[in-house]
């Protein structure tokens, strides 16, 4: 039974069941087909290209922030190694949506790992594939595996190293800041355990520079025949901060929205901001003004020190009614304060302290309204003394 | 007979009274055949759920209103039984995974995969996909959210997910980046006025503007609350004239009482008295955060300007501790004691400066 499930899981990851390409997320549609298509990770790609010619592969650990091409790289690499026909019985892909407790490691992974690789099927598309005599197990989002499950992998990785290679994909080898950790989640702080990490050769994926993001996004826009100007691409890159998947998803959403109206409207940078859930700049500036931060407008009215509480409380309540996300608001307020031309270093540091505390509190699941109010009051105090 | 809130809930996107831009977007998205995963967020009572059901109707036609309620049992890895209620029609399914508490991951994995791997069999269905609505998405555990990630990409052809949350702060970035974000802001006062007038006309009476204003002030942007209050008032005095008294919920008056106790006297004996009141509130399942917020706001409205910021600061401080800790009453009490000492300090300092 386990074997049957293995196969079905794999067949989904290849294009076995046919999906209407128009309905596919562009992230899937434009996944790199070969490792040479992978954007911006020159160093990693150079090393992996060697393995294509020598057909020898170590165990691998891919790590880096989301949307930098980790999963795409390993999928493209294994497709190039095995070709579409052998891909199904040579590659096992498991991710966080599959149950990956210790029992799965013991049964499913172990049984797949111990199989002798099947004979190479003749490639139906007439191309030559290296098809080396081993299988690949891809453990995507490996940092969400339990410690026990990782422990059980240790020996399996060594015993079957001759016929099976592992590729672990995770966000951070130590992970504290990429995820908001919710309270109550039992396995909040697990990560790749040291014995597993030391068995693998590590590949670090860096956030994409804007040049390669731009070229990829324009390529996709061109292929989908949508009009985007430079300002939109800039907005995409600035809102997604090096995460190409996010940028592509935003682009797709924006094009959906623009093409669904009649007549189709061109995409504007404001659309991108709305889709990305960014709080509009005027709203943030208005908030800052209430806090007593001078935002360079002509009217500089000294706010009355004595009764500043009521207006701030009212403003915070209004913001919460608009439904803006607290963490997003704090991020943008942070940008505004840090880049502010006239606040002095001391005031900025005080504000930074408050914002940091608020971010931690929100990660711990604190009440949003209370903490936005807290930030507002303390920032106000910091800038008005 | 159902409540007005349900009876007069708009059922099609065209019937919605406010956020016309949003409705137009939803409508064109539903018509385009290229429907994305979506995340609706906004304060409660703003109309997220109404918009979701309207969108579903737009997608699939009136068939989505034939609902049936199921109870499903899932097995956790440690063979524990988890029961979850499911509301479903032929075209969509609605779950609240936070019912399963810590085991929400299992529910997400099993249920979503099951739905994702079966195709729509009804040939007359308008769309080839089914829709899964996940309520209270912001209380999903991190594991459950991680489980959603690949599922959302892989099974896009058979399934769309609509998440419904109060805030996006607690959702992990990969989920947010896979969804089309839809912010549903609370209606402003004129919009609420329109809706209330509409409801009262449908119910067959005229709403005096004064009464409407009063209800709107009381509800604070929560339209559901406003309509419920309207119905309650109508039951109390059928002509809705004269001075109206909007009955506050018991727990709110109780919180007000606690605030008065804090302000009037600051002694250990008073803390004990407040403690019993807090226990009373907690045993009636009022969330501790709500208690703290309501009491804090009530206290703040009664104290000197200089103290207000401090009191809110400590409220925020102890609220976080309450989340991290496990025994809520400790932190509520700690806050009360803190406020009392602050109050007393400022009081005496004030006095002394007077004498000098």
């Amino acid at each position: 039974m386990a074997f049957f499930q293995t196969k079905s899981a794999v067949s989904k990851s290849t294009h076995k069941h046919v999906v209407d390409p128009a309905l596919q997320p562009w992230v899937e549609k434009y996944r790199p087909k070969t490792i040479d298509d992978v954007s911006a990770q020159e160093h990693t790609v150079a090393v992996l290209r060697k393995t294509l010619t020598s057909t020898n592969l170590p165990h691998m650990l891919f790590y880096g922030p989301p949307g930098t091409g980790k999963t795409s790289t390993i999928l493209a690499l294994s497709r190039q190694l095995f070709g579409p026909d052998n891909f199904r019985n040579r590659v096992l892909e498991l991710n966080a949506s599959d149950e990956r407790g210790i029992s799965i490691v013991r049964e499913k992974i172990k049984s797949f790992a111990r199989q002798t690789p099947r004979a190479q099927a003749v490639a139906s598309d007439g191309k030559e594939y290296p098809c080396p005599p081993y299988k690949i197990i891809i453990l995507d989002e490996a940092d969400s595996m339990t410690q026990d499950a990782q422990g059980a992998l240790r020996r399996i990785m060594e015993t079957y190293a001759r016929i099976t290679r592992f590729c672990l994909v995770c966000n951070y080898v130590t992970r504290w800041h990429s995820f908001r950790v919710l309270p109550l989640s039992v396995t909040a702080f697990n990560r790749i355990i040291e014995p597993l990490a030391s068995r693998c050769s590590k590949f670090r994926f860096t956030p994409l520079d804007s040049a390669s993001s731009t070229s990829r996004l324009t390529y996709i826009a061109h292929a989908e025949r949508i009009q985007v100007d430079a300002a939109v691409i800039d907005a995409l890159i600035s809102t997604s901060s090096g995460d190409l998947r996010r940028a592509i998803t935003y682009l797709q959403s924006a094009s959906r929205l623009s093409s669904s109206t009649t007549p189709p409207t061109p995409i504007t940078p404001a659309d991108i901001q709305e889709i990305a859930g960014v709080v509009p700049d005027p709203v943030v500036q208005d908030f800052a003004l209430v806090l007593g931060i001078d935002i360079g407008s002509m009217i500089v009215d000294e706010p009355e020190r004595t009764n500043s509480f009521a207006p701030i409380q009212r403003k915070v309540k209004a913001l919460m009614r608009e439904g803006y996300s607290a963490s997003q608001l704090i991020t943008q307020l942070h940008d505004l304060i840090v880049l502010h031309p006239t606040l002095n270093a001391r005031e900025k540091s005080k504000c930074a302290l408050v914002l940091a505390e608020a971010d931690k509190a929100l990660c711990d699941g604190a009440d949003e309204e209370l903490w936005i109010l807290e930030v507002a009051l303390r920032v106000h105090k910091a800038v008005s003394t | 007979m159902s409540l007005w809130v349900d009876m007069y809930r708009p059922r099609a996107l065209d019937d919605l009274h406010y956020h016309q831009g949003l409705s137009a977007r939803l409508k064109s998205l539903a018509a385009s055949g290229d429907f994305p995963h979506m995340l609706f967020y906004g304060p409660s009572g703003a109309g997220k759920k109404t918009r979701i059901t309207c969108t579903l109707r737009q997608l699939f036609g009136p068939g989505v209103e034939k609902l049936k309620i199921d109870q499903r049992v899932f097995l956790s890895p440690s063979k524990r039984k988890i029961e979850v209620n499911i509301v479903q029609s032929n075209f969509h399914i609605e779950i609240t995974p936070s019912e399963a508490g810590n085991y929400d991951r299992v529910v997400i994995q099993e249920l979503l995969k099951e739905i994702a791997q079966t195709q729509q069999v009804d040939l007359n269905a308008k769309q080839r996909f089914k829709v899964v609505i996940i309520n209270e998405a912001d209380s999903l555990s991190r594991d459950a959210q991680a489980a959603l990630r690949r599922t959302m990409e892989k099974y896009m052809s058979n399934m769309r997910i609509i998440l419904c949350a109060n805030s996006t702060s607690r959702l992990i970035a990969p989920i947010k980046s896979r969804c089309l974000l839809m912010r549903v802001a609370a209606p402003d006062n004129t919009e609420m006025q329109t809706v209330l007038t509409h409801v009262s006309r449908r119910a067959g009476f005229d709403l005096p503007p004064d009464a409407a204003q009063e209800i709107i002030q009381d509800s604070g942007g929560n339209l559901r609350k406003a309509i419920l209050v309207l119905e309650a008032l109508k039951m109390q005095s059928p002509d809705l004239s004269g001075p109206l008294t909007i009955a506050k919920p018991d727990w709110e008056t109780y919180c007000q009482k606690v605030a008065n106790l804090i302000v009037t006297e600051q002694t250990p004996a008073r803390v004990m008295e407040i403690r019993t009141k807090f226990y009373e509130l907690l045993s009636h399942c009022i969330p501790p955060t709500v208690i703290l917020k309501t009491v804090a706001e009530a206290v703040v409205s009664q104290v000197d300007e200089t103290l207000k910021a401090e009191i809110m600061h400590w409220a925020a401080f102890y609220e976080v501790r309450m989340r991290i800790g496990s025994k809520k009453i400790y932190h509520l009490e700690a806050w009360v004691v803190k406020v009392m000492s602050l109050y007393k300090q400022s009081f005496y300092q004030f006095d002394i400066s007077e004498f000098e």
Side-chain angles (χ1 to χ4, degrees):
Chain A
M1 192 58 207
F3 177 59
F4 176 66
Q5 281 168 349
T6 307
K7 271 178 75 179
S8 71
V10 172
S11 64
K12 290 292 182 310
S13 64
T14 61
H15 291 281
K16 194 61 192 170
H17 73 167
V18 184
V19 182
D20 182 2
L23 296 181
Q24 244 183 332
W26 292 355
V27 183
E28 291 290 316
K29 198 169 165 187
Y30 295 100
R31 243 185 223 290
K33 300 282 181 296
T34 65
I35 54 169
D36 295 308
D37 292 345
V38 174
S39 298
Q41 313 294 346
E42 286 83 10
H43 179 69
T44 311
V45 169
V47 175
L48 291 178
R49 200 178 294 125
K50 289 233 173 65
T51 67
L52 266 181
T53 46
S54 70
T55 70
N56 195 14
L57 206 63
H59 292 309
M60 288 174 297
L61 172 64
F62 287 3
Y63 66 102
T68 47
K70 301 178 293 296
T71 313
S72 300
T73 308
I74 186 62
L75 285 178
L77 178 70
S78 32
R79 193 156 287 136
Q80 271 180 294
L81 277 175
F82 300 116
D85 302 295
N86 290 310
F87 187 88
R88 266 196 300 146
N89 48 42
R90 292 296 184 88
V91 178
L92 172 67
E93 188 199 349
L94 290 174
N95 55 57
S97 69
D98 304 288
E99 178 56 54
R100 283 191 305 194
I102 186 154
S103 61
I104 297 298
V105 173
R106 284 190 185 135
E107 290 158 23
K108 199 164 164 180
I109 296 185
K110 199 171 178 183
S111 68
F112 185 82
R114 77 211 294 181
Q115 289 167 34
T116 317
R118 297 202 197 160
Q120 179 182 355
V122 181
S124 54
D125 55 358
K127 286 189 197 143
E128 286 263 332
Y129 292 100
C131 206
Y134 50 76
K135 304 174 302 287
I136 295 182
I137 297 182
I138 305 169
L139 295 172
D140 208 345
E141 297 151 23
D143 37 8
S144 67
M145 286 175 78
T146 58
Q147 299 265 340
D148 289 352
Q150 291 186 35
L153 266 183
R154 293 166 58 171
R155 197 62 192 138
I156 297 178
M157 278 175 85
E158 283 178 348
T159 320
Y160 303 108
R162 212 171 42 80
I163 48 172
T164 307
R165 302 292 143 82
F166 281 82
C167 178
L168 308 178
V169 178
C170 63
N171 282 114
Y172 287 95
V173 181
T174 51
R175 38 172 280 229
W176 278 87
H177 50 297
S178 107
F179 286 109
R180 310 201 151 265
V181 179
L182 295 167
L184 297 177
S185 103
V186 192
T187 54
F189 300 119
N190 51 12
R191 55 191 188 103
I192 303 293
I193 58 173
E194 195 46 45
L196 275 195
S198 71
R199 282 173 173 78
C200 302
S201 50
K202 302 187 190 67
F203 292 92
R204 190 165 75 90
F205 284 70
T206 47
L208 269 73
D209 55 294
S210 56
S212 41
S213 305
T214 312
S215 70
R216 193 70 188 162
L217 287 171
T218 15
Y219 167 75
I220 292 175
H222 186 69
E224 290 289 331
R225 291 197 201 85
I226 49 172
Q227 290 291 324
V228 284
D229 46 24
V232 173
I233 299 276
D234 281 346
L236 279 172
I237 290 168
S238 69
T239 47
S240 61
S241 57
D243 180 343
L244 190 57
R245 176 177 41 219
R246 224 158 99 190
I248 295 176
T249 323
Y250 289 160
L251 181 63
Q252 187 176 15
S253 306
S255 89
R256 267 194 195 116
L257 282 179
S258 75
S259 64
S260 59
T261 52
T262 45
T265 46
I267 303 168
T268 62
D271 286 344
I272 305 288
Q273 291 209 331
E274 173 71 33
I275 288 165
V278 176
V279 183
D281 282 340
V283 176
V284 181
Q285 285 174 359
D286 211 31
F287 186 44
L289 198 65
V290 174
L291 302 190
I293 302 173
D294 175 24
I295 52 159
S297 63
M298 296 315 283
I299 329 131
V300 188
D301 51 338
E302 244 340 279
E304 293 266 332
R305 282 284 320 279
T306 42
N307 53 8
S308 57
F309 182 81
I312 290 180
Q313 194 182 27
R314 225 175 305 131
K315 183 75 195 165
V316 170
K317 275 203 186 300
L319 277 174
M320 288 292 111
R321 253 177 87 158
E322 285 296 308
Y324 294 116
S325 138
S327 52
Q328 183 66 35
L329 198 62
I330 286 183
T331 315
Q332 285 179 253
L333 192 64
H334 172 259
D335 290 350
L336 190 138
I337 289 174
V338 168
L339 301 174
H340 196 279
T342 57
L343 290 178
N344 63 34
R346 194 183 171 79
E347 287 164 341
K348 283 185 183 177
S349 331
K350 275 185 183 166
C351 294
L353 198 66
V354 184
L355 292 168
E357 274 178 32
D359 185 63
K360 167 79 174 87
L362 288 174
C363 278
D364 286 336
D367 185 78
E368 300 202 337
E369 191 182 327
L370 270 180
W371 272 93
I372 293 290
L373 185 60
E374 160 81 355
V375 166
L377 290 171
R378 282 176 61 186
V379 166
H380 175 73
K381 202 174 147 198
V383 297
S384 58
T385 43
Chain B
M1 207 185 106
S2 57
L3 293 171
W4 289 357
V5 188
D6 298 319
M7 210 152 56
Y8 304 127
R9 188 189 292 276
R11 285 160 70 202
L13 284 171
D14 292 325
D15 299 345
L16 293 169
H17 289 93
Y18 52 94
H19 298 332
Q20 301 300 350
L22 192 64
S23 313
R25 267 184 176 188
L26 288 173
K27 207 168 158 190
S28 50
L29 278 176
S32 70
D34 181 20
F35 194 74
H37 297 301
M38 288 217 256
L39 166 60
F40 284 79
Y41 67 104
S44 58
K48 300 181 290 293
K49 212 49 196 307
T50 311
R51 273 161 189 76
I52 293 174
T53 40
C54 290
T55 313
L56 281 180
R57 198 183 143 97
Q58 186 78 27
L59 276 172
F60 298 105
V64 284
E65 283 164 17
K66 281 188 193 133
L67 294 175
K68 60 176 188 233
I69 299 175
D70 257 353
Q71 195 170 48
R72 286 280 300 270
V73 178
F74 297 93
L75 273 186
S76 78
S78 53
K79 306 281 181 266
R80 239 188 69 164
K81 278 186 183 165
I82 309 151
E83 289 185 357
V84 177
N85 287 318
I86 293 173
V87 179
Q88 60 178 347
S89 75
N90 283 339
F91 308 104
H92 84 286
I93 186 165
E94 193 180 326
I95 48 173
T96 311
S98 47
E99 277 175 29
N102 256 341
Y103 293 103
D104 52 356
R105 183 181 57 104
V106 185
V107 177
I108 292 275
Q109 282 177 343
E110 304 237 329
L111 195 70
L112 286 195
K113 280 205 167 163
E114 180 192 307
I115 298 163
Q117 288 172 350
T118 51
Q119 292 202 347
Q120 175 66 267
V121 282
D122 184 359
L123 286 175
N124 298 323
K126 275 194 182 168
Q127 312 286 347
R128 301 304 306 155
F129 55 82
K130 280 192 167 189
V131 173
V132 180
I133 301 174
I134 299 178
N135 287 325
E136 295 175 31
D138 44 356
S139 53
L140 283 176
S141 70
R142 211 199 64 83
D143 282 356
Q145 295 188 38
L148 268 179
R149 290 172 60 172
R150 272 298 275 170
T151 318
M152 287 173 86
E153 283 178 356
K154 263 178 153 181
Y155 302 115
M156 187 81 184
S157 56
N158 288 342
M159 173 181 69
R160 299 292 189 279
I161 293 175
I162 297 183
L163 299 163
C164 182
N166 275 336
S167 150
T168 58
S169 290
R170 265 180 268 170
L171 290 169
I172 60 174
I175 300 279
K176 279 190 271 187
S177 76
R178 282 172 178 79
C179 293
L180 185 53
L181 299 185
M182 288 283 172
R183 185 170 60 85
V184 185
D188 64 27
N189 289 356
T190 39
E191 286 163 348
M192 288 186 80
Q193 173 100 39
T194 332
V195 176
L196 287 178
T197 331
H198 172 80
V199 168
S200 48
R201 199 174 307 134
R202 288 275 301 273
F205 67 94
D206 274 330
L207 180 67
D210 300 353
Q213 278 311 317
E214 204 149 322
I215 293 170
I216 290 166
Q217 287 308 322
D218 177 69
S219 63
N222 188 335
L223 194 56
R224 183 183 325 121
K225 192 175 164 190
I227 297 177
L228 285 172
V229 167
L230 175 67
E231 189 172 359
L233 282 181
K234 179 74 183 160
M235 292 296 156
Q236 273 174 18
S237 66
D239 53 348
L240 284 174
S241 58
L244 291 169
T245 44
I246 295 172
K248 282 219 160 72
D250 285 346
W251 61 268
E252 242 180 274
T253 29
Y254 218 77
C255 286
Q256 186 69 44
K257 253 187 230 162
V258 174
N260 292 343
L261 286 177
I262 295 175
V263 178
T264 44
E265 192 187 316
Q266 297 85 31
T267 55
R270 197 35 84 84
V271 178
M272 283 305 287
E273 206 175 317
I274 290 169
R275 180 198 179 94
T276 50
K277 289 230 178 326
F278 275 148
Y279 263 123
E280 181 85 355
L281 282 167
L282 286 173
S283 65
H284 283 85
C285 292
I286 307 293
T289 305
V290 175
I291 300 178
L292 183 58
K293 258 170 84 174
T294 327
V295 177
E297 265 169 36
V299 170
V300 158
S301 66
Q302 296 180 34
V303 299
D304 192 63
E305 183 69 28
T306 48
L307 272 178
K308 286 181 177 176
E310 280 286 282
I311 290 175
M312 286 321 276
H313 165 70
W314 291 108
F317 178 84
Y318 284 111
E319 204 268 337
V320 183
R321 291 201 160 190
M322 203 154 65
R323 300 263 177 174
I324 303 171
S326 59
K327 186 93 173 153
K328 314 292 181 200
I329 189 89
Y330 293 162
H331 305 284
L332 284 175
E333 269 175 0
W335 177 75
V336 169
V337 173
K338 188 82 200 174
V339 169
M340 282 186 174
S341 87
L342 276 174
Y343 190 83
K344 214 159 193 177
Q345 258 175 37
S346 87
F347 197 69
Y348 281 123
Q349 272 161 15
F350 181 70
D351 265 359
I352 292 164
S353 63
E354 279 284 275
F355 282 115
E356 282 169 357

